């Protein structure tokens, strides 16, 4: 076999290998490692369980909860109106319209924060906007929102106000509390802004 034929055969085999690589691994990343590091250090992707409780109770139309746990865990328990997109299938095309959009504020959650944060990092590196992570996950949700602990007598007024809100939220969300809810005053600055997607340009020419 000549050198030319060997090179041709090598290029042919390389083309076959590239063609067999799954589509998602061939898509260029939109953010560099440095960009990701800056975003993670800023922690702007994290939203508190108190904020999520407030948005659920106020029926905020821009909120979309996304449970990244397994279907079995989702069936056992999930937050109100959440949809299940397990981490293992987060890159499937059928979920792209929900995860890469400019209308809703997606809040990802899992039992802790690890899986939901991994999902966020994958989506963010692909350039998807409007995805956030619920701080502490469901474990923290149950400890603070569904089963709030009474502050000590030495706690600040702010801690007592937070407890009152969580106790009322627990009642509204099916927990043990049964008092009138008074959500903390929120401002537009408290809530992440939904970033609108740019419309794709229509192809020029044609009839």
């Amino acid at each position: 076999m000549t050198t030319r034929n060997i090179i041709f055969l090598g290029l042919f085999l390389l083309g076959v290998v590239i063609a067999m690589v799954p589509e998602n691994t061939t898509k260029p990343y939109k953010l560099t490692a440095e960009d990701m590091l800056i975003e993670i250090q800023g922690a702007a992707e994290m939203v508190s369980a108190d904020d999520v409780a407030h948005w659920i109770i106020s029926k905020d139309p821009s909120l979309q909860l996304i449970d990244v746990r397994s279907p079995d865990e989702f069936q056992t328990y999930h937050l109100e109106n959440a949809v299940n997109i397990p981490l293992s299938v987060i890159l499937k095309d059928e979920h792209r319209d929900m995860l890469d959009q400019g209308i809703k504020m997606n809040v990802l959650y899992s039992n802790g924060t690890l899986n939901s944060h991994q999902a966020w990092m994958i989506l963010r590196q692909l350039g998807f906007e409007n995805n956030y992570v619920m701080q502490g996950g469901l474990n923290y949700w149950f400890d603070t929102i569904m089963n709030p602990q009474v502050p000590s007598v030495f706690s600040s007024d702010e801690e007592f106000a937070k407890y009152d809100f969580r106790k009322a939220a627990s009642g509204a969300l099916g927990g043990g509390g049964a008092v009138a809810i008074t959500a903390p005053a929120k401002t537009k600055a408290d809530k992440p802004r939904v970033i609108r997607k740019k419309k794709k340009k229509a192809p020029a020419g044609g009839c």
Side-chain angles (χ1 to χ4, degrees):
M1 184 177 290
T2 64
T3 303
R4 182 177 179 181
N5 287 339
I6 292 174
I7 294 174
F8 177 78
L9 179 60
L11 291 174
F12 174 76
L13 292 175
L14 180 61
V16 171
V17 171
I18 292 174
M20 292 175 66
V21 172
E23 183 185 4
N24 284 327
T25 63
T26 64
K27 290 178 180 175
Y29 290 130
K30 300 293 180 64
L31 272 68
T32 65
E34 288 77 15
D35 293 334
M36 288 297 299
L37 179 60
I38 291 171
E39 293 214 10
I40 291 172
Q41 288 179 322
E45 78 279 13
M46 306 301 287
V47 294
S48 73
D50 292 286
D51 283 339
V52 173
H54 172 63
W55 296 330
I56 293 175
I57 293 167
S58 62
K59 300 188 184 304
D60 189 318
S62 69
L63 175 65
Q64 178 60 68
L65 293 165
I66 297 179
D67 189 323
V68 301
R69 300 175 303 153
S70 70
D72 287 344
E73 289 177 301
F74 181 78
Q75 287 300 322
T76 301
Y77 177 83
H78 59 265
L79 297 182
E80 184 177 319
N81 294 326
V83 298
N84 185 211
I85 304 180
L87 176 61
S88 58
V89 298
I90 201 85
L91 290 175
K92 284 197 171 181
D93 285 342
E94 63 194 80
H95 305 306
R96 186 182 181 106
D97 287 346
M98 178 170 287
L99 298 170
D100 183 23
Q101 44 76 43
I103 299 173
K104 296 270 188 176
M105 173 184 59
N106 290 333
V107 176
L108 313 172
Y109 71 84
S110 53
N111 289 326
T113 308
L114 180 61
N115 286 352
S116 51
H117 213 227
Q118 288 175 335
W120 174 84
M121 290 179 70
I122 292 170
L123 300 174
R124 192 69 196 99
Q125 201 160 21
L126 289 172
F128 295 1
E129 305 274 7
N130 305 316
N131 294 302
Y132 297 87
V133 177
M134 185 171 78
Q135 200 162 23
L138 284 179
N139 295 335
Y140 187 77
W141 173 269
F142 279 108
D143 287 344
T144 57
I145 302 299
M146 303 307 287
N147 300 291
Q149 300 299 311
V150 181
S152 75
V153 294
F154 303 107
S155 298
S156 65
D157 291 343
E158 183 181 353
E159 286 299 314
F160 275 99
K162 190 178 291 184
Y163 168 72
D164 288 342
F165 166 72
R166 290 172 175 174
K167 186 177 179 183
S170 175
L173 296 169
V179 297
I181 191 165
T182 304
K186 307 298 290 184
T187 66
K188 291 183 179 179
D190 293 321
K191 184 180 170 186
R193 181 174 61 88
V194 175
I195 300 173
R196 301 289 179 186
K197 281 189 66 176
K198 293 180 180 176
K199 292 183 178 178
K200 293 182 179 178
K201 292 182 179 179
C207 54

